Amino acid sequence: MHAPFPYDLDTAVGYAIGHTAHRLKMGLRRAFTSAGHDVTPEQWVVLYRLYESQGLTQADLGGRTVKDKTSITRILDRLESKALAERRRDVHDRRSQRIFLTPDGRALVEHLVPLVRAYAAEAFADVPPEDRDHLRRILANIETRLDAMPESKDPA
């Protein structure tokens, strides 16, 4: 018989953050589906970032949405198949592509924003605004620390 491992996953902050983020995404997906929209939370983030900044490169868009190259490619393929976004060759660098929302993509973002706001208001109804601000500051501090940590090296 093994001795108990000295770690409690249920009290780990990283696990709690990941678990909550997953539940928030699942709920947002249900809100989109209930309103008749076939959009995932991952697609929503990409659509919104493009709404903010049309013509980002695929690499810049990946950075702004915290998506790796494979994930951002897959999301853009889906958005293009739905005629919500399009890739265009960069006129100054033919190796690069710029990403743009289509008129339908812009209209969808404008339609989804109130749904996202309503969902967030319900999800965070029991969290006072000052606690939300504090949580954002804590998460920003964690991200700053993570950015300062050396990259993990693959064991060779």
Side-chain angles (χ1 to χ4, degrees), residues 4 9 12 15 29 34 38-39 47 62 78 88 90 93 109 124 127 131 142 145 152:
L9 186 63
Y15 179 78
R29 176 74 168 134
S34 294
D38 181 26
V39 177
L47 288 167
R78 290 288 247 194
R88 299 181 198 157
D90 187 317
D93 180 0
V109 170
F124 300 115
V127 182
D131 286 353
I142 292 169
R145 177 66 183 144
S152 297

Side-chain angles (χ1 to χ4, degrees), residues 112-147:
L112 292 178
V113 166
L115 292 173
V116 173
R117 283 189 178 139
Y119 173 72
E122 185 176 348
F124 300 115
D126 297 328
V127 182
E130 60 273 9
D131 286 353
R132 290 181 224 168
D133 292 340
H134 190 203
L135 178 58
R136 276 190 290 274
R137 285 193 303 276
I138 290 169
L139 293 173
N141 288 343
I142 292 169
E143 283 202 53
T144 298
R145 177 66 183 144
L146 291 171
D147 289 344

Side-chain angles (χ1 to χ4, degrees), residues 67-141:
K67 305 285 181 218
D68 62 37
K69 186 176 180 175
T70 303
S71 296
I72 198 70
T73 298
R74 181 180 38 81
I75 292 168
L76 289 173
D77 287 347
R78 290 288 247 194
L79 294 176
E80 278 190 315
S81 74
K82 296 177 183 182
L84 298 173
E86 62 184 3
R87 295 175 178 109
R88 299 181 198 157
R89 286 266 174 237
D90 187 317
V91 294
H92 301 293
D93 180 0
R94 302 224 7 110
R95 297 168 296 168
S96 185
Q97 296 187 64
R98 300 274 173 180
I99 317 300
F100 295 87
L101 289 179
T102 64
D104 285 348
R106 290 189 64 76
L108 179 61
V109 170
E110 291 167 0
H111 185 75
L112 292 178
V113 166
L115 292 173
V116 173
R117 283 189 178 139
Y119 173 72
E122 185 176 348
F124 300 115
D126 297 328
V127 182
E130 60 273 9
D131 286 353
R132 290 181 224 168
D133 292 340
H134 190 203
L135 178 58
R136 276 190 290 274
R137 285 193 303 276
I138 290 169
L139 293 173
N141 288 343

